[in-house]
């Protein structure tokens, strides 16, 4: 009886704590800027919107040539899975897929890069940041960089997810790790903490809805937010990037000079040609927009400057952290097909660090295309129903990369 009463109390508190538009209304693509503004209001500080983000933009020279000479930084990540229903306890493979997506996106090696509008191609930036799951926990013990916590809460809010005492999960020290919480956020896809003198350290990190994490498992059925770009977007906020759209056509809305002014969010849209809302072509393929996951492709050089300035000034301790393990980089494009021979499925097994997804075609020796899929997650098995028996070829493409392997279906 006491347990049931406690659960009812917890559920009531969550209904009060989580904004209703995040549960019962339409999807909230990102809550980061809203929550950041609320922190200032809670601290009884009324400042113009841009002043709560602006200080970093002038603290370091915007010399991109100097910044581009630095080596790639690999930053340690810990993923805290806080679950109530079994489906929310996402698999290790789903977590690995999200790390691979972050690395492909931050190194400008995702499959959508060739589709960037021609006028923006020269602005595409390799952010020179990679992410790895931590191999050492705060006590110095080996870890796989993943924690799993059962919660009596059916969903979580900005007030509960960060604290074990509130049935969430305490984060690891933010000076050594980037904390990523994966949980049920109702209708909110994700949010993140901006660098701020009013943000509690225990709330630093990013929070992603389990439905929109990675590109396999629970993400598969959640189109158009099924390719892991929610985490890419929120990681941008973590490094002080703002949304590239605004309520009007103000040029400095996001404090980055090479992102054109736009007042359209493109929420739940994926345009296929030029669009304009402020007299110039909108950069709707930017990760800091609200477009569908399949439409997102790039960060700009100006965003890179702002992000690296933030890393140097507010997140510099991460550069000194030695907590990393694997799953960094996106250098190789080589696979093995398993099992081979096979009866009903085939799986692409990466030989190294590789792309998180690609377009696949399976065809017969005569060249007849039998199966064709775009944006297929690498870690997702490919069903072979209806193609008969014999020798077949599988082609995987991602941008300008191409790989072909053969297998036998018995």
């Amino acid at each position: 009886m006491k347990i049931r009463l406690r659960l009812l109390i917890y559920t009531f508190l969550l209904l009060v704590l989580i904004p209703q538009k995040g549960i019962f209304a339409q999807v909230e693509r990102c809550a980061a800027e809203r929550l950041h503004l609320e922190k200032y209001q809670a601290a009884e500080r009324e400042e113009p919107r841009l002043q709560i983000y602006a200080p970093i933009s002038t603290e370091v020279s915007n010399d991109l040539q100097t910044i581009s000479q630095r080596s790639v930084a690999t930053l340690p990540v810990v993923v805290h899975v806080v679950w109530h229903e079994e489906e929310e306890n996402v698999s290790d493979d789903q977590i690995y897929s999200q790390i691979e997506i972050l690395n492909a996106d931050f190194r400008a090696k995702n499959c959508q890069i060739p589709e960037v509008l021609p006028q923006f191609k020269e602005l595409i930036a390799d952010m020179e940041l990679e992410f790895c799951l931590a191999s050492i926990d705060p006590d110095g013990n080996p870890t796989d960089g993943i924690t799993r916590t059962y919660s009596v809460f059916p969903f979580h809010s900005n007030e509960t997810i960060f604290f074990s005492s509130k049935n969430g999960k305490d984060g690891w020290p933010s000076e050594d790790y980037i904390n990523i919480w994966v949980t049920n956020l109702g209708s909110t896809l994700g949010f993140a903490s901006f660098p701020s003198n009013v943000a509690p350290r225990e709330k630093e990190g990013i929070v992603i809805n389990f439905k929109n994490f990675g590109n396999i498992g629970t993400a598969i059925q959640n189109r158009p937010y099924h390719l892991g770009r929610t985490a890419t977007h929120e990681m941008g906020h973590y490094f002080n990037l703002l949304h590239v759209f605004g309520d009007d056509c103000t040029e400095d809305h996001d404090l980055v000079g090479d992102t054109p002014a736009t007042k359209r969010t493109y929420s739940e849209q994926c345009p296929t040609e030029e669009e304009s809302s402020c007299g110039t072509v909108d950069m709707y393929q930017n990760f800091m927009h609200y477009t569908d996951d399949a439409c997102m492709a790039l960060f700009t050089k100006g965003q890179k400057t702002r992000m690296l300035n933030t890393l140097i000034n507010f997140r510099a301790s991460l550069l000194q952290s030695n907590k990393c393990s694997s799953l960094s980089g996106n250098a190789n494009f080589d696979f093995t097909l398993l099992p081979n021979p096979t009866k009903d499925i085939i799986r692409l097994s990466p030989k190294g660090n590789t792309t998180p997804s690609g377009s696949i075609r399976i065809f017969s020796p005569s060249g007849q295309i039998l199966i064709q899929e775009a944006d297929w997650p690498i870690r997702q098995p490919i069903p072979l129903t209806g193609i008969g028996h014999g020798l077949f070829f599988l082609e995987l493409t991602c941008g300008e990369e191409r790989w072909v392997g053969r297998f036998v279906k018995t």
Side-chain angles (χ1 to χ4, degrees):
M1 185 59 138
K2 289 183 178 179
I3 294 176
R4 182 177 299 177
L5 179 61
R6 184 181 301 170
L7 180 58
L8 289 173
I9 293 173
Y10 283 156
T11 303
F12 172 77
L13 288 173
L14 281 172
L15 292 174
V16 173
L17 289 171
I18 301 180
Q20 288 193 3
K21 76 173 185 176
I23 303 176
F24 305 109
Q26 63 185 4
V27 167
E28 183 178 27
R29 185 71 163 99
C30 169
E33 290 194 17
R34 173 177 62 80
L35 293 173
H36 191 61
L37 180 60
E38 289 175 2
K39 290 173 186 176
Y40 275 80
Q41 294 171 338
E44 298 183 349
R45 293 175 56 177
E46 297 183 3
E47 301 179 25
R49 175 187 171 276
L50 291 183
Q51 288 188 17
I52 69 177
Y53 303 104
I56 190 63
S57 63
T58 57
E59 289 186 13
V60 175
S61 168
N62 290 347
D63 186 348
L64 285 172
Q65 184 175 1
T66 299
I67 291 175
S68 67
Q69 293 173 354
R70 61 188 292 279
S71 60
V72 174
T74 303
L75 308 179
V77 166
V78 54
V79 176
H80 305 293
V81 181
V82 181
W83 61 280
H84 180 73
E85 301 291 344
E86 285 290 342
E87 68 167 345
E88 300 164 9
N89 192 13
V90 298
S91 69
D92 287 359
D93 273 349
Q94 190 167 343
I95 293 170
Y96 299 154
S97 77
Q98 183 62 76
I99 301 300
E100 291 164 349
I101 292 163
L102 286 170
N103 287 330
D105 288 346
F106 274 76
R107 295 303 312 280
K109 295 182 178 179
N110 62 69
C111 299
Q112 287 72 36
I113 286 289
E115 301 169 15
V116 172
L117 294 176
Q119 53 266 61
F120 299 133
K121 284 188 180 294
E122 291 186 358
L123 297 176
I124 297 172
D126 174 354
M127 306 302 274
E128 298 184 286
L129 293 180
E130 297 178 357
F131 305 90
C132 72
L133 287 169
S135 58
I136 303 172
D137 73 10
D139 296 322
N141 299 316
T143 179
D144 59 2
I146 302 169
T147 73
R148 299 182 181 277
T149 303
Y150 171 77
S151 175
V152 299
F153 284 5
F155 40 77
H156 277 274
S157 75
N158 183 49
E159 300 301 323
T160 61
I161 186 60
F162 306 106
F163 307 103
S164 298
S165 62
K166 297 181 180 180
N167 259 260
K169 174 63 179 177
D170 292 339
W172 290 4
S174 58
E175 60 269 21
D176 292 326
Y177 307 89
I178 300 175
N179 288 281
I180 300 178
W181 286 268
V182 180
T183 193
N184 190 339
L185 293 175
S187 294
T188 298
L189 271 61
F191 57 89
S193 62
F194 286 90
S196 168
N197 55 6
V198 298
R201 294 301 295 270
E202 61 268 23
K203 288 187 174 183
E204 288 199 350
I206 73 175
V207 186
I208 309 296
N209 198 315
F210 78 99
K211 298 178 181 179
N212 312 103
F213 192 73
N215 64 0
I216 63 172
T218 58
I220 293 175
Q221 303 301 321
N222 286 284
R223 294 175 179 269
Y225 310 120
H226 61 299
L227 299 178
R229 266 49 192 274
T230 298
T232 301
H233 179 102
E234 300 304 337
M235 192 66 79
H237 284 319
Y238 180 79
F239 286 107
N240 212 20
L241 297 186
L242 282 66
H243 294 147
V244 296
F245 54 84
D247 296 329
D248 52 36
C249 291
T250 304
E251 285 288 343
D252 63 350
H253 179 84
D254 67 341
L255 299 168
V256 174
D258 61 2
T259 53
T262 174
K263 59 182 180 181
R264 287 179 60 185
T265 67
Y266 294 94
S267 181
E268 297 189 16
Q269 298 178 53
C270 188
T272 57
E273 56 188 22
E274 293 182 3
E275 299 280 349
S276 176
S277 60
C278 288
T280 57
V281 177
D282 291 343
M283 191 184 285
Y284 56 78
Q285 294 162 310
N286 195 286
F287 288 121
M288 302 313 295
H289 238 302
Y290 269 10
T291 37
D292 297 350
D293 278 16
C295 206
M296 292 182 169
L298 80 150
F299 291 113
T300 69
K301 294 176 181 178
Q303 288 175 317
K304 175 180 179 178
T305 299
R306 183 171 175 81
M307 185 176 292
L308 294 181
N309 288 347
T310 299
L311 179 62
I312 293 168
N313 282 270
F314 287 99
R315 313 283 194 200
S317 61
L318 292 171
L319 295 170
Q320 310 302 322
S321 178
N322 62 349
K323 312 296 184 183
C324 266
S325 55
S326 60
L327 288 178
S328 65
N330 187 35
N332 303 318
F333 202 78
D334 196 11
F335 305 85
T336 300
L337 292 175
L338 297 173
N340 193 6
T342 183
K343 290 184 178 180
D344 49 8
I345 64 165
I346 196 73
R347 185 190 305 267
L348 284 156
S349 177
K351 291 184 179 179
N353 300 312
T354 187
T355 176
S357 64
S359 296
I360 61 169
R361 294 194 305 172
I362 293 178
F363 50 93
S364 68
S366 65
Q368 180 186 6
I369 298 175
L370 305 172
I371 295 174
Q372 185 167 352
E373 297 285 348
D375 296 319
W376 188 267
I378 294 301
R379 294 181 179 273
Q380 180 73 14
I382 304 165
L384 300 175
T385 53
I387 71 168
H389 306 284
L391 175 68
F392 300 93
F393 295 88
L394 188 151
E395 175 194 65
L396 173 71
T397 57
C398 175
E400 297 179 356
E401 300 280 3
R402 180 176 180 268
W403 180 88
V404 177
R406 61 183 180 179
F407 64 93
V408 174
K409 183 172 183 287
T410 59

